[in-house]
């Protein structure tokens, strides 16, 4: 047999491809296996340069191997792949030099390589699933591994999580900070007729494979990249566990739809593993949430139990002591009155009176604290000479001061003659602090009360030279039913409520309190309240404050008509003075001298801001405000009430921007008018606030306050409902209570920060729970601000919201 014929038979019978190249890299032989492996017949390739037949090999490593083998006459080998829009294949090339050129054997190792790669990626996906801390991280890392598996950019792989609470899927991967996904893509309602294929797949529980790539999630966001990659097919498959949808996987492929079957087989394996991981991680997250909630409830139960035990022990002791005195001396007087000398009877009656007053003080303290914690204590603000409080403290504590021969010194700032505070409660603050200082001073010692102005605050200090406190006792100084033990055995009466109540009262005034102490050297307790000064002429002071505020409001106006201020004031001199001030600030001013004219002018002129006195002729300010807020042309005009009437709740409910009892504080008025800028304009949607609280009365109060400020308010009375509503409505702000019956506020805050769609929403905690350092640490970075219901006012809430909005703008 002809050897050449025999060699040809052998080359045609082998399973691997074989072809020969001459010294010019032209193909001289092409066997049947090469034809089958490449889809190219020998008639199509013989005589052609190998780099003409396979142009992508010329600059690749395979082409370099050809050139090296030809030049050095040495054996070369390489494993390489070939990919187009129909298939992807891997080959093992073995290149042998011959007398006339090169002999090339190639073996299709696609199946082997695919299996190796599949195992490698599956191991990586499993590792990502098992080591991810939460569901979102799992989805993001799995998407990155799937992208590697199919050689596409990771942001072209989308993973959705299914939320059964809202029957929607939520886009988790890709997590692109620089890309703003449309809300209807991030949250898709699951339905068979949904506009996006991912939501339809979740409803039908079956895959979608289509060449309509524009329907994909990220296709419209990266059109140039999609075009450069020559993407041909969109694949969307459900992630199922026992027929229940866990999520959806969506990715793009460069292969044509008819050649993607092998990829779908591989994807089914990946999808099963990913869905199983999602299900397990979801259960783990739910368990973690339950554990956090249980831990929170347990901790609160323990703390409540400890507090109750301490309260009962202290309270029973403090009640028994005065009651024993009252009952004992009363019995003696009842049975032996005729036989007792007058001085003894007088001493017994004195003891009964002292014990009764002590008992009354204990009961009053408990009622005060309960009222403050329940948010039921209202302040009645008015202006009082600062000397009034010195006289009050000296009068109430005269007996205690005399008993220990204490020298009580008052040094008030010379430029502060009057305070605008709640007279009863502010005097209670000073009495509590001075009484404590006297109690723990050495006989013959000195207690100093001072005040000074610090920026826009007024700082008071009460300093004694007594026994002092240890640093470890300072942490619980202002907590209820807490009393320090070091060296205070000389006077231990009381149930530990004085400083706790004092702290609450200071905070109700918008201030803060702290203490400094050293054992054996004494204690200094300081507190601040906002500076509220009566400048002597009330109208002059108001004009000055309004001038500064309107100047600030007018700074942003660089062109156009001057803004208009409508002053509703029946006093001619006061109105003219205000007019001069406001016009000098660049405003046009109109004056209404009674309620009827005020309404007509507001409807006709539509001013930028209105100042309103409530004491008006013909029609009072209440009726004016009510009609302004009902009229479509006037209801958005900011109205600031300045009046001697203390009816804040009524003013807020009728839609006032803010309410000040004369004399008004300058900074407060500036803040009120600054908030005018936060009101929604006609060209943008009103900002929205979600309130999550089981206390319906508290929610209704917040709703009244915020809706009158121009906000849209959503309400949720349970934690689970709140999370669902936040995910669905995506509000601009969330106000959250910590104590709720179904899911605690701690868990709500945690869940909201795990969901990408709600992670960036600022959260204000508004709760009756004591927000101590440990609680703040537990909340961590989950919340933006903390507020206590016990000291909550409209001004506080709007200030917090204003701070958040300012931070966003800056």
């Amino acid at each position: 047999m002809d050897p050449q014929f025999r060699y040809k038979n052998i080359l045609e019978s082998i399973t691997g491809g074989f072809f020969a190249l001459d010294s010019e890299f032209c193909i001289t032989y092409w066997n049947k296996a090469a034809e089958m492996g490449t889809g190219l017949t020998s008639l199509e390739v013989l005589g052609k340069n190998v780099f003409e037949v396979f142009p992508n090999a010329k600059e690749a490593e395979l082409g370099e191997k050809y050139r090296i083998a030809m030049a050095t006459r040495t054996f070369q080998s390489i494993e390489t792949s070939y990919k187009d829009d129909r298939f992807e294949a891997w080959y093992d090339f073995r290149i042998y030099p011959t007398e006339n050129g090169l002999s090339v054997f190639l073996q299709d190792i696609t199946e082997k390589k695919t299996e190796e790669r599949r195992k490698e990626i599956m191991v990586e996906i499993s590792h990502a699933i098992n080591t991810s801390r939460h569901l979102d991280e799992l989805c993001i890392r799995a998407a990155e591994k799937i992208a590697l598996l199919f050689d596409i950019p990771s942001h072209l792989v989308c993973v959705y999580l299914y939320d059964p609470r809202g029957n929607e899927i939520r886009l988790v991967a890709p997590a692109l900070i620089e890309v703003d996904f449309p809300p209807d893509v991030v949250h898709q309602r699951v339905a068979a007729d949904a506009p996006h294929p991912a939501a339809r797949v979740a409803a039908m529980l079956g895959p979608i494979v289509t060449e309509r790539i524009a329907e994909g999630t990220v296709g419209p966001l990266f059109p140039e990249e999609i075009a450069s990659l020559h993407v041909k097919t969109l694949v969307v498959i459900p992630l199922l566990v026992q027929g229940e949808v866990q999520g959806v996987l969506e990715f793009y492929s460069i292969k044509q739809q008819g050649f993607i079957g092998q990829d779908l087989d591989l994807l089914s394996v990946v999808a099963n593993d990913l869905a199983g991981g999602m299900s397990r991680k979801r259960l783990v997250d739910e368990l973690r949430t339950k554990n956090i909630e249980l831990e929170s409830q347990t901790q609160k139960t323990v703390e409540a139990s400890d507090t109750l035990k301490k309260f009962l022990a202290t309270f029973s002791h403090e009640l028994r002591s005065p009651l024993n005195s009252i009952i004992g001396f009363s019995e003696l007087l009842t049975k032996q009155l005729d036989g007792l000398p007058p001085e003894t009877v007088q001493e017994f009656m004195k003891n009964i009176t002292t014990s009764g007053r002590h008992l009354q003080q204990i009961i009053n303290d408990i009622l005060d604290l309960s009222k403050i914690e329940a948010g039921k204590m209202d302040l009645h603000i008015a202006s009082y000479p600062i000397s009034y409080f010195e006289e009050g403290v000296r009068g109430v504590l005269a007996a205690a001061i005399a008993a220990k021969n204490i020298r009580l010194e008052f040094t008030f700032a010379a430029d502060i003659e009057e305070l605008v505070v709640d007279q009863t409660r502010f005097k209670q603050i000073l009495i509590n602090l001075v009484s404590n200082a006297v109690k723990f001073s050495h006989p013959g010692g000195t207690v100093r009360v001072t005040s000074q102005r610090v920026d826009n605050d007024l700082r008071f200090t009460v300093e004694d030279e007594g026994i002092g406190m240890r640093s470890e006792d300072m942490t619980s100084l202002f907590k209820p039913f807490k009393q320090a033990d070091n060296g205070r055995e000389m006077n231990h009466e009381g149930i530990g409520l004085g400083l706790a109540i004092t702290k609450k009262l200071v905070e109700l005034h918008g201030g803060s309190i702290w203490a400094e102490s050293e054992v054996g050297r004494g204690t200094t307790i300081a507190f601040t309240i906002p500076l509220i000064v009566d400048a002597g002429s009330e109208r002059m002071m108001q004009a000055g404050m309004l001038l500064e505020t309107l100047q600030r409001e007018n700074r942003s106006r660089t062109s156009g008509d001057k803004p208009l201020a409508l002053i509703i004031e029946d006093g001619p001199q006061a109105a003219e003075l205000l007019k001069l001030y406001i016009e000098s600030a660049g405003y046009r001013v109109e004056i209404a001298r009674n309620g009827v004219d005020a309404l007509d002018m507001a409807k006709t002129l539509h001013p930028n801001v209105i100042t309103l006195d409530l004491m008006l002729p013909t029609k009072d300010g209440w009726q004016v405000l009510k009609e302004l807020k009902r009229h479509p042309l006037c209801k958005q005009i900011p109205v600031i009430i300045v009046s001697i009437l203390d009816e804040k709740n009524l003013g807020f409910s009728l839609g006032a921007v803010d309410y000040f009892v004369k004399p008004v504080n300058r900074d407060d008025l500036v803040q009120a008018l600054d908030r005018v800028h936060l009101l929604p304009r006609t060209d943008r949607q009103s900002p929205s606030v979600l309130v999550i609280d089981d206390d319906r009365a508290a929610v209704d109060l917040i709703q009244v306050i915020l809706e009158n400020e121009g906000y849209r308010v959503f309400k949720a009375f349970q934690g689970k409902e709140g999370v669902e509503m936040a995910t669905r409505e995506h509000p601009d702000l969330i106000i959250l209570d910590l104590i709720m019956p179904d899911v605690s506020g701690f868990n709500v805050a945690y869940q909201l920060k795990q969901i990408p769609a709600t992670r960036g929403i600022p959260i204000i905690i508004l709760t009756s729970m004591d927000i101590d350092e440990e609680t703040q640490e537990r909340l961590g970075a989950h919340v933006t601000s903390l507020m206590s219901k016990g000291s909550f006012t409209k001004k506080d809430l709007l200030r917090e919201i204003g701070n958040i909005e300012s931070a966003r703008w800056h």
Side-chain angles (χ1 to χ4, degrees), residues 215-283:
E215 294 183 359
T217 297
V218 296
L221 300 176
F222 304 102
E224 295 180 1
E225 187 171 9
I226 293 288
S228 66
L229 291 172
H230 304 291
V231 168
K232 297 293 193 302
T233 308
L234 174 67
V235 180
V236 190
I237 60 176
L239 303 173
L240 306 174
V241 173
Q242 296 181 347
E244 294 186 0
V245 64
Q246 302 294 318
V248 175
L249 172 62
E250 176 184 311
F251 83 105
Y252 293 86
S253 175
I254 65 170
K255 293 183 180 179
Q256 296 177 6
Q257 182 175 345
F259 295 88
I260 205 168
Q262 189 177 17
D263 288 351
L264 289 177
D265 292 339
L266 179 55
L267 268 178
S268 66
V269 178
V270 174
N272 287 337
D273 200 14
L274 179 56
M278 284 181 173
S279 179
R280 293 192 300 273
K281 190 63 67 177
R282 197 188 299 270
L283 292 174

Side-chain angles (χ1 to χ4, degrees), residues 141-156:
R141 292 176 63 186
E144 292 171 350
K145 300 303 179 184
I146 293 171
L148 288 174
L149 182 61
F150 294 101
D151 287 331
I152 57 175
S154 60
H155 54 268
L156 298 186

Side-chain angles (χ1 to χ4, degrees), residues 570-756:
D570 63 321
Q573 294 179 346
E576 286 302 316
L577 182 61
L578 287 175
K579 181 173 182 292
L580 290 173
Y581 269 78
I582 295 173
E583 284 181 341
S584 70
Y587 276 75
R588 294 177 294 123
V589 174
E590 295 290 342
I591 300 173
R593 305 198 183 275
N594 59 64
V596 174
D597 291 345
L599 289 169
D600 290 340
M601 294 173 70
K603 296 172 185 176
T604 304
L605 302 175
H606 197 66
N608 299 94
V609 65
I610 295 174
T611 64
L612 173 65
D613 188 8
L614 296 177
M615 306 295 290
L616 298 172
T618 67
K619 183 176 290 189
D620 68 19
W622 292 123
Q623 189 62 34
V624 171
L625 179 59
K626 187 180 297 184
E627 294 187 29
L628 283 172
K629 291 304 175 182
R630 286 178 177 173
H631 197 280
L633 295 178
C634 303
K635 64 181 180 180
Q636 292 296 337
I637 302 175
V639 178
I640 299 176
I641 296 175
V642 181
S643 176
I644 60 173
L645 298 179
D646 187 3
E647 295 288 348
K648 291 184 176 64
N649 291 337
L650 181 57
F652 292 152
S653 65
L654 291 178
V657 169
D658 218 324
Y659 192 118
F660 300 106
V661 178
K662 297 177 181 178
V664 63
N665 172 281
R666 171 183 291 191
D667 293 333
D668 288 344
L669 187 56
V670 168
Q671 289 180 4
L673 283 178
D674 278 348
R675 282 196 295 274
V676 171
H677 295 294
L678 299 180
L679 288 173
R681 306 303 182 190
T682 55
D683 58 347
R684 69 179 291 265
Q685 191 178 31
S686 302
S688 60
V689 178
L690 169 61
V691 185
I692 308 174
D693 192 341
D694 63 314
D695 184 350
R696 292 179 181 269
V699 174
D700 291 342
L701 174 60
I702 295 171
Q703 183 181 20
V704 169
I705 291 173
L706 295 183
E707 285 185 345
N708 285 329
E709 289 293 316
Y711 293 89
R712 292 178 298 130
V713 177
F714 302 108
K715 299 185 290 186
F717 299 104
Q718 292 183 338
K720 181 179 179 181
E721 178 189 6
V723 174
E724 294 173 353
M725 191 171 290
T727 306
R728 183 172 63 253
E729 302 293 345
H730 197 71
D732 298 293
L733 174 71
I734 294 173
I735 299 176
L736 172 65
D737 187 13
L738 291 181
I739 305 175
M740 289 180 288
D742 65 330
V743 179
S744 75
F746 293 96
N747 295 332
V748 172
Y750 173 80
Q751 291 182 44
L752 290 172
K753 293 305 176 183
Q754 306 310 309
I755 301 173

